[in-house]
Amino acid sequence: MKENKLSLLEMESLPREVFVRQQYIPAQHFFPAHTHNWHQLLYATSGVLTVDVVNERLFISPEKAVWLPMGCEHSVSTAFGAELKSLYIDASYQQLDTKKSLVLEISALLKSLVIEASSFEINYSTTGYEQQVISLILSSLPRLAQDKTHLPWPTSTELYHLCTQLYNHPEGRYSTAILAKELNVSKRTLERRFIKETGKSLQAWCLRLRFLKAIELLNTNQSITRIALELGYSSPSPFIYMFRAQSGVSPGQYLAESQRNSTNSLKSN
């Protein structure tokens, strides 16, 4: 996607303790790997973001956000387009982890506060209503639940390329034995190395990948049948079974909840 690379915001310091950046990211566009001199809460009000940090690939749907502490190298992309509302937060803020990234569950309150703050002038007043909203945002962040649905990424070049192949073709069904043969190693060696580098078996990793890809596709309003086929399932039934096993709800229930949250957010603003 090199031809679709987006320009980074050229800013050396924040005009206020919290700066709200708004931008629509077109489909198949990305921000290359970079760091900031401040913390960032990366959040999309629509669409799904894919955020790469050290040894992890994070899928950020509208009910989630990723916390990126100062200096955390990351790249951001979207397959189908996303509406970005990102908070840049002064490095002096210490109420969330300042060493590693976190995926957070966005509350209805914080969602409304972020949308409200996005309407402020860049140099908003540091007293009165605007500052009260910003203060409430900052005090709400450490109360958010953490989400553990990230996709761990191998560190070795060989396994990294293998996972990239699987990521680009989630519809494929490859046994561990076949993949081991492609890498010219034994099945047992591949299994041992993969667990060591990711904490998951190869098959569990592939299953998690298909689930996260399903989340991405469900946010494009495609039919469940089409999504199931795109992910390599012969029919919707095994796809629905996988999704329920991974999340506790069916794809239809997930969509209904997402649409309900989106409607409530719009009504509150």
Side-chain angles (χ1 to χ4, degrees):
M1 295 191 298
K2 290 183 179 180
E3 70 279 6
N4 293 334
K5 182 169 65 175
L6 295 171
S7 298
L8 297 171
L9 185 65
E10 295 182 2
M11 188 168 63
E12 295 183 0
S13 61
L14 300 180
R16 290 288 185 265
E17 183 181 15
V18 175
F19 171 79
V20 182
R21 182 183 186 186
Q22 301 184 79
Q23 183 174 3
Y24 177 73
I25 307 179
Q28 301 300 323
H29 282 65
F30 77 108
F31 293 108
H34 62 284
T35 62
H36 297 301
N37 294 324
W38 46 77
H39 308 310
Q40 181 179 12
L41 184 76
L42 186 59
Y43 170 55
T45 54
S46 66
V48 173
L49 301 173
T50 302
V51 183
D52 284 310
V53 295
V54 178
N55 299 335
E56 291 182 336
R57 179 158 289 182
L58 311 173
F59 288 71
I60 310 301
S61 51
E63 70 275 9
K64 304 183 193 304
V66 60
W67 169 256
L68 300 163
M70 179 187 68
C72 177
E73 185 174 83
H74 59 283
S75 60
V76 183
S77 61
T78 178
F80 302 101
E83 189 70 40
L84 180 69
K85 281 185 171 55
S86 185
L87 302 183
Y88 291 162
I89 301 172
D90 190 87
S92 62
Y93 182 77
Q94 301 288 309
Q95 294 187 54
L96 279 176
D97 199 310
T98 58
K99 300 297 183 182
K100 64 179 181 180
S101 61
L102 303 170
V103 178
L104 302 173
E105 299 278 359
I106 292 293
S107 65
L109 172 62
L110 186 61
K111 182 182 294 187
S112 296
L113 290 170
V114 169
I115 293 174
E116 179 69 8
S118 69
S119 66
F120 295 169
E121 297 291 334
I122 293 175
N123 294 305
Y124 55 80
S125 173
T126 56
T127 61
Y129 174 72
E130 288 90 348
Q131 187 58 44
Q132 290 173 354
V133 171
I134 296 299
S135 296
L136 189 52
I137 287 174
L138 295 177
S139 62
S140 296
L141 291 180
R143 299 175 64 86
L144 299 178
Q146 292 188 31
D147 180 83
K148 303 293 186 181
T149 59
H150 63 270
L151 195 64
W153 219 254
T155 54
S156 67
T157 301
E158 194 173 41
L159 293 187
Y160 181 91
H161 289 321
L162 171 65
C163 286
T164 299
Q165 173 189 336
L166 296 171
Y167 176 83
N168 291 331
H169 299 282
E171 76 285 355
R173 293 295 184 270
Y174 309 100
S175 69
T176 305
I178 290 175
L179 293 174
K181 187 175 181 180
E182 288 183 5
L183 297 179
N184 199 29
V185 298
S186 70
K187 177 176 178 289
R188 184 175 180 179
T189 296
L190 176 56
E191 290 173 337
R192 176 177 52 80
R193 286 179 55 191
F194 202 89
I195 291 175
K196 181 180 179 180
E197 293 192 27
T198 68
K200 292 180 177 291
S201 71
L202 181 55
Q203 294 306 316
W205 190 93
C206 290
L207 188 62
R208 195 66 186 172
L209 168 64
R210 286 193 289 275
F211 168 71
L212 294 173
K213 281 285 190 178
I215 294 290
E216 187 174 37
L217 293 169
L218 283 167
N219 279 274
T220 66
N221 294 320
Q222 296 183 50
S223 71
I224 290 175
T225 298
R226 181 174 178 180
I227 292 171
L229 296 176
E230 190 165 335
L231 293 177
Y233 292 93
S234 58
S235 68
S237 295
F239 166 67
I240 293 171
Y241 178 85
M242 177 278 295
F243 195 95
R244 189 186 294 275
Q246 289 285 312
S247 66
V249 297
S250 69
Q253 290 170 322
Y254 170 85
L255 273 176
E257 181 64 22
S258 295
Q259 291 168 356
R260 184 160 51 250
N261 289 339
S262 177
T263 300
N264 290 340
S265 177
L266 289 172
K267 286 180 178 179
S268 66
N269 288 276

